[in-house]
Amino acid sequence: MTGWFSFVEGEATAGDVLALRRAEEVVREAGVEYDVAWSPGFRPGELSLETVRPGEYDLLLFVCGPCSGPQTAALHERFAHCHRVAVGVSVVDPAEPAVTGFHEVIARDGPSCEPSPDLSVGTRPPADGLPPVVATLLTTGQHEYAGQRRHEETVRRVTSWLGARDCALLELETRLDSRDWRLCGTPEQLDAVLARVDLVVTNRLHGLVLALRAGVPAIAVDPVAGGAKVSAQAGALDWPAVVPAERLDDQALAHWWEWARREGRSRAAAHAAAPPPEPLARALRACLGDASQRAGR
């Protein structure tokens, strides 16, 4: 079984992989044994078009994507002895060699066929639930901390660790800009996103504050050696899931990951339901009251 997910210069999209899964189900139901050729850039170490032995197969199934281009056409030469079938593909030019080289083309759309629902439509989310959605709010700035900065290192370690987790990652930014469609234009827009995630991982003070304000557990990493405002804010909010830069490793992240997905959920919800005291606002009121009295004199 091949597709654009098999080509080194191709790509594996979510739709492609889901269409492949549906095709695999049909093939298994038919009692046919099969292998999948993956791009080594997407699945290193798996069977690929470079390592497969064409002589061991008598059927080539090409799944999803455009039935077009020299990469697809090259399959007809390498697997010339096989019966070749394309399924769930878009046919742009029926006369193109990539198309005519197949013995059968079961198209999802094209100039000579009625459109059919994509193969991915037939797949369903796993019965045991979907992976968590994890938002990152990370910075490599804050140069005011000079030699104490560990921002680049903490971001590298955190993102490397998260990249190996089974989760849907969403990169967010606290910076607002109404002119940049990639950024939120108001705090409420960021609130709307945070309210829909399961966990926030951040090395920013406001990443921690805004997550708890939304009732979402956060893993906070203090990127300043010796601790600075992130640790201070975690203490002020009585939030335990904070990791100093000096102790940031996979074990610490894994510990707080498990905690955040269990106890941390109810604890974050409690933060949103009952916000902590506001000594800064009280102090400001007192200051303004004193100023007003002085002005009245």
Side-chain angles (χ1 to χ4, degrees), residues 55-132:
E56 296 181 355
Y57 305 91
D58 53 18
L59 171 65
L60 175 80
L61 185 59
F62 186 88
V63 182
C64 197
C67 191
S68 179
Q71 296 159 303
T72 306
L75 294 173
H76 302 313
E77 297 182 13
R78 190 162 183 216
F79 294 87
H81 65 286
C82 290
H83 185 75
R84 299 180 300 282
V85 178
V87 61
V89 294
S90 293
V91 176
V92 179
D93 179 3
E96 185 179 351
V99 179
T100 60
F102 285 105
H103 296 93
E104 299 177 64
V105 177
I106 308 171
R108 65 185 173 192
D109 57 79
S112 60
C113 70
E114 288 292 323
S116 295
D118 186 71
L119 280 168
S120 61
V121 171
T123 61
R124 292 293 178 267
D128 57 352
L130 295 171

Side-chain angles (χ1 to χ4, degrees), residues 21-297:
R21 290 181 184 175
R22 183 64 182 123
E24 287 182 279
E25 291 174 354
V26 175
V27 169
R28 286 195 297 267
E29 290 167 1
V32 177
E33 295 184 1
Y34 69 92
D35 291 317
V36 177
W38 293 100
S39 167
F42 181 63
R43 293 275 181 87
E46 298 282 342
L47 183 72
S48 69
L49 290 175
E50 287 69 32
T51 59
V52 72
R53 297 177 179 178
E56 296 181 355
Y57 305 91
D58 53 18
L59 171 65
L60 175 80
L61 185 59
F62 186 88
V63 182
C64 197
C67 191
S68 179
Q71 296 159 303
T72 306
L75 294 173
H76 302 313
E77 297 182 13
R78 190 162 183 216
F79 294 87
H81 65 286
C82 290
H83 185 75
R84 299 180 300 282
V85 178
V87 61
V89 294
S90 293
V91 176
V92 179
D93 179 3
E96 185 179 351
V99 179
T100 60
F102 285 105
H103 296 93
E104 299 177 64
V105 177
I106 308 171
R108 65 185 173 192
D109 57 79
S112 60
C113 70
E114 288 292 323
S116 295
D118 186 71
L119 280 168
S120 61
V121 171
T123 61
R124 292 293 178 267
D128 57 352
L130 295 171
V133 179
V134 179
T136 61
L137 286 160
L138 302 168
T139 180
T140 55
Q142 300 179 348
H143 294 277
E144 62 270 22
Y145 289 104
Q148 294 176 284
R149 295 181 68 259
R150 302 294 184 272
H151 292 64
E152 288 82 359
E153 181 181 353
T154 58
V155 169
R156 178 183 59 79
R157 289 191 177 188
V158 165
T159 54
S160 176
W161 187 84
L162 283 174
R165 306 276 73 72
D166 182 18
C167 62
L169 289 170
L170 181 63
E171 184 181 13
L172 298 180
E173 173 59 68
T174 59
R175 183 169 65 87
L176 305 177
D177 191 337
S178 60
R179 299 163 299 175
D180 188 338
W181 66 269
R182 295 165 296 185
L183 299 174
C184 293
T186 66
E188 289 73 25
Q189 291 173 10
L190 184 56
D191 282 340
V193 179
L194 290 174
R196 289 164 170 79
V197 306
D198 300 302
L199 175 66
V200 169
V201 179
T202 183
N203 66 351
R204 308 195 70 147
L205 179 151
H206 281 128
L208 170 60
V209 172
L210 297 179
L212 298 185
R213 178 174 171 273
V216 179
I219 300 174
V221 176
D222 194 322
V224 179
K229 59 184 178 181
V230 172
S231 295
Q233 192 62 205
L237 295 174
D238 192 27
W239 185 253
V242 58
V243 185
E246 300 89 335
R247 296 204 293 272
L248 178 60
D249 56 26
D250 291 357
Q251 184 177 356
L253 289 169
H255 168 76
W256 289 116
W257 172 277
E258 295 300 326
W259 181 87
R261 297 188 64 195
R262 293 186 175 88
E263 180 185 341
R265 296 173 64 182
S266 58
R267 191 151 174 172
H271 265 275
E278 296 183 276
L280 296 180
R282 288 201 306 269
L284 176 58
R285 289 193 196 99
C287 179
L288 293 175
D290 293 343
S292 297
Q293 288 179 0
R294 289 194 297 270
R297 292 173 188 168

